[in-house]
Amino acid sequence: MTETSSPGRPSALLWAVAGLLLVAVVAVALYKAWPLLNPTLAEIAPLDPSCDLRAGPCDARFGGGESVRFAIEPQSIPVVTPLRLVVQTTGFDVRAVEVDFAGVDMNMGYNRAGLDSVGPGLYEGQGTLPVCVRARMEWEARVLLHTADGILAAPFRFETVRD
């Protein structure tokens, strides 16, 4: 009598092990990337509901008297078009500045732009808003200030309108 082996069994076991390894790699990657995607904030400035970035720069103030001025150009804030982002800080020792764009009531994915220092307390960079299925979309631009005391955030809300 001849012994026969099941050719599908080792193959299925290998696929199961490969699948478990893939799940483990994805879990470790998410664990390591989580702080980058969702940084812990030391302080969030209050949102100014009267701010209108389409009319001009807006200011946010923190508890210690520090302030941030934020502007987007062009002021019409079109989608899928390069936008010039300008941040001016007063009273901070800032190491880096980023602007994180998020849909207020719709997840629009990761959309963060790093800004370059162009002078004392002045940072500039470029960002682009993705197109949305809605003709009118409310956004929050969160200016992230990396300081020795942690990351501070200044929220600014605005709306985009597609023709």
Side-chain angles (χ1 to χ4, degrees), residues 2-159:
T2 310
E3 253 185 67
T4 60
S5 64
S6 173
R9 190 166 185 101
S11 178
L13 182 61
L14 288 175
W15 279 111
V17 169
L20 287 173
L21 285 173
L22 179 62
V23 168
V25 167
V26 169
V28 168
L30 286 173
Y31 176 76
K32 293 290 189 180
W34 189 259
L36 297 173
L37 299 174
N38 300 297
T40 302
L41 302 175
E43 184 180 355
I44 301 174
L47 178 68
D48 179 4
S50 67
C51 164
D52 181 6
L53 287 169
R54 292 173 171 275
C58 291
D59 295 312
R61 301 208 182 280
F62 289 87
E66 306 92 344
S67 66
V68 174
R69 175 168 280 197
F70 178 57
I72 299 177
E73 297 173 3
Q75 289 178 339
S76 60
I77 313 177
V79 295
V80 196
T81 302
L83 302 170
R84 181 172 173 250
L85 310 174
V86 180
V87 171
Q88 185 173 7
T89 63
T90 304
F92 290 108
D93 180 20
V94 178
R95 296 178 179 174
V97 175
E98 297 175 303
V99 177
D100 187 37
F101 292 107
V104 171
D105 59 356
M106 179 184 286
N107 184 345
M108 296 300 289
Y110 181 81
N111 194 352
R112 189 174 297 166
L115 278 56
D116 297 320
S117 176
V118 294
L122 186 61
Y123 301 85
E124 292 183 6
Q126 187 173 324
T128 304
L129 294 173
V131 70
C132 179
V133 295
R134 296 181 186 168
R136 185 177 298 272
M137 176 73 180
E138 188 176 1
W139 294 89
E140 181 172 289
R142 208 173 243 204
V143 176
L144 302 173
L145 306 168
H146 298 260
T147 70
D149 298 328
I151 301 173
L152 309 176
F156 299 91
R157 296 231 172 139
F158 63 94
E159 198 173 75

